[in-house]
Amino acid sequence: MLQLGLLITNRHRLLSVAAILDVFESVNSFYERANQPHFFNITLFSPDAEPGKFYGAYPMQSIHEFTKQDLILIPAFGSGDVQLSIMSNQCCIPWLWEQYKNGAELASFCTGAFLLAAGGLLNGKHATTHIDAAEALASNFPDIIMKSDAVVTEDKGIFTSGGATSSFHLMLYLIQRFCGKDLTLRTAKMFAIDMDREQQTYFGTFAPPQNHGDGLVNMAQQKIEKEYQEGSTIEVLIQDIPASRRNVVRRFKQAIGVTPIEYLQRTRIEAAKKLLAQTDQSVLEVMLNSGYNDLKSFRQLFKKSTGVTPKEYRDKFNIARLETGGRWNRRMSGASYLD
C-alpha cells in the first residue's frame, strides 16, 4: 500500500482538494471491486491540525508529528495574493524537505508550485504552473527551469502541473506510474479526461498590470491598446511618449516584464483570440482587425504564442460552435464508453 499524503495548506482551493480526493478514492474503489486492498493509503496533513479535527470524513494529522510518506500532494492555492498564501504556509516547508530527503516524492497542482518554489525545492528543476501565473513564478524564483507551456513536469522526484484541468493529467501520470496503464485508462474514462493534451499555452490570457505606478508606461500602454488595430509599428505608436525609446523600453520591462514590442504583439494576439472565440469572422478578417497585414506571418505568430493555429483555436473555443453542437456534441456522443 502506497502512503499518499495530501497537504491541506492554508488558503487552498477547495475544488483542487475535492478533485484529488475524488480521483484517488476512485482508484481505490477499482481495487475494492476487484476484491483487492486499496492501493493508496490516503492521509490528510495540516499545518495546524488540532486533535479530533476532521476534513470531511478524514481525520487530520499535524505535520509536526512526522509520519513518512511515499508521495505528497500539494493542492492549488485559492485565488488572491499568492505571497500571502506562501507566508501562511511557511511552516510546511521544513516538513516537505524532511519528507523529500526521506524518499517521498512531491507533486504540486497548479499554483501549489509556489510553495515548493518558496522552499527552494524547485531550484534547478523543470516546473510548470497555471499559464497565467507562470511569469510570476519565473520572475520570483529565477532558479527554476520554467516550462510554462507544459501540462506536467517531472524532475528528480518532484512533479508539477499546469492550471485547472491540467491537474487531472498529473493525477493520471501518477496513477500510471504506480498502478499501470490499464487502470489509468479506466480512470480517464470515468472522469472524461482527454489524455492527448501536450501543452496548455492556448489557455493563457494576457492581463498586464496597470497599477505599477509608472505614469509614462501607463501612457504607452493606453496608446498601444487604443491603436493596435491600425497596423502601426511600435516606433510609430510610442513616438509621442515624452521619453527616449531606450528609456521607454527600460521602464516598460521594469514595470510589466515585457518590452513594448512584445506588449504590442501580445495585445494583438489577445484581440485575435477574442475574435476567433466570439465571432464568425474569417481568419483573414481576424488578422486585419487585430492589426496584422500578412497572413503567413500572423499564423506563425499566433501559433508561437498559443501553441495552435487560428483554426484550431476557433475549433476549441468558439462560443457559437460550442452552443450549436460541434465539438461538444461529438464528445458527448462518446459518453457510452464510460461503462
Side-chain angles (χ1 to χ4, degrees):
M1 185 176 288
L2 187 138
Q3 302 301 316
L4 174 62
L6 174 55
L7 179 59
I8 305 298
T9 51
N10 294 315
R11 299 170 60 84
H12 63 271
R13 183 177 290 277
L14 291 172
L15 184 59
S16 181
V17 171
I20 292 168
L21 289 174
D22 198 5
V23 169
F24 286 99
E25 286 173 354
S26 296
V27 172
N28 277 343
S29 73
F30 294 148
Y31 281 89
E32 188 175 322
R33 291 173 199 169
N35 295 316
Q36 296 179 20
H38 289 178
F39 188 87
F40 297 104
N41 181 34
I42 303 172
T43 304
L44 272 56
F45 291 90
S46 168
D48 50 6
E50 299 173 357
K53 185 176 180 181
F54 278 73
Y55 191 99
Y58 285 89
M60 299 283 283
Q61 184 170 326
S62 172
I63 61 172
H64 303 295
E65 300 171 9
F66 185 80
T67 304
K68 186 181 182 303
Q69 300 295 295
D70 299 309
L71 176 65
I72 294 173
L73 309 181
I74 299 101
F77 287 128
S79 58
D81 190 338
V82 175
Q83 290 294 335
L84 185 57
S85 296
I86 292 172
M87 290 176 61
S88 66
N89 289 284
Q90 284 287 337
C91 62
C92 298
I93 292 174
W95 180 76
L96 289 169
W97 266 112
E98 187 176 8
Q99 291 282 358
Y100 184 56
K101 289 176 179 177
N102 278 277
E105 295 184 301
L106 311 178
S108 67
F109 296 87
C110 192
T111 51
F114 279 83
L115 184 59
L116 293 178
L121 283 151
L122 294 179
N123 288 356
K125 299 183 181 69
H126 296 85
T128 189
T129 186
H130 193 291
I131 187 66
D132 289 338
E135 286 187 8
L137 185 64
S139 61
N140 282 286
F141 306 101
D143 291 330
I144 295 174
I145 304 171
M146 195 66 208
K147 298 292 182 182
S148 57
D149 62 338
V151 175
V152 171
T153 67
E154 175 186 4
D155 199 333
K156 297 181 178 66
I158 296 184
F159 307 83
T160 63
S161 84
T165 55
S166 294
S167 297
F168 284 95
H169 291 83
L170 175 52
M171 285 187 269
L172 290 180
Y173 189 87
L174 295 170
I175 292 166
Q176 181 164 335
R177 178 185 176 90
F178 295 111
C179 305
K181 188 173 183 179
D182 289 344
L183 202 66
T184 304
L185 290 172
R186 192 173 175 185
T187 306
K189 289 179 179 181
M190 180 178 184
F191 288 92
I193 305 168
D194 286 332
M195 296 186 65
D196 59 352
R197 184 187 298 173
E198 297 179 351
Q199 49 88 25
Q200 61 167 345
T201 312
Y202 47 75
F203 290 112
T205 302
F206 184 48
Q210 303 285 342
N211 58 347
H212 42 70
D214 191 322
L216 185 141
V217 173
N218 281 133
M219 188 185 304
Q221 286 180 272
Q222 292 167 14
K223 182 81 170 176
I224 292 170
E225 291 166 8
K226 182 179 179 181
E227 301 180 15
Y228 71 88
Q229 291 176 296
E230 296 181 9
S232 302
T233 64
I234 191 62
E235 285 77 11
V236 172
L237 287 173
I238 65 173
Q239 65 182 356
D240 295 330
I241 304 298
S244 68
R245 186 183 188 282
R246 183 176 180 180
N247 190 29
V248 172
V249 171
R250 179 183 61 80
R251 291 171 64 171
F252 224 91
K253 185 79 174 176
Q254 185 176 22
I256 301 177
V258 298
T259 64
I261 192 168
E262 290 172 326
Y263 192 95
L264 174 60
Q265 294 288 12
R266 293 178 70 172
T267 299
R268 285 174 169 166
I269 293 297
E270 195 64 28
K273 286 160 63 178
K274 288 181 180 179
L275 291 172
L276 289 166
Q278 299 175 9
T279 75
D280 60 357
Q281 292 181 16
S282 68
V283 173
L284 178 62
E285 290 173 311
V286 169
M287 177 201 75
L288 294 172
N289 289 328
S290 303
Y292 294 101
N293 52 30
D294 182 279
L295 193 56
K296 182 179 179 181
S297 176
F298 167 65
R299 285 195 172 111
Q300 290 175 338
L301 288 167
F302 192 91
K303 186 166 186 178
K304 182 180 179 181
S305 176
T306 65
V308 294
T309 65
K311 182 181 182 303
E312 289 169 337
Y313 188 88
R314 168 164 277 164
D315 288 343
K316 286 181 179 292
F317 297 110
N318 185 265
I319 295 171
R321 294 190 184 191
L322 290 174
E323 288 178 344
T324 56
R327 185 179 180 88
W328 177 255
N329 280 346
R330 289 199 299 275
R331 287 189 178 184
M332 290 301 290
S333 67
S336 60
Y337 80 109
L338 298 177
D339 296 339

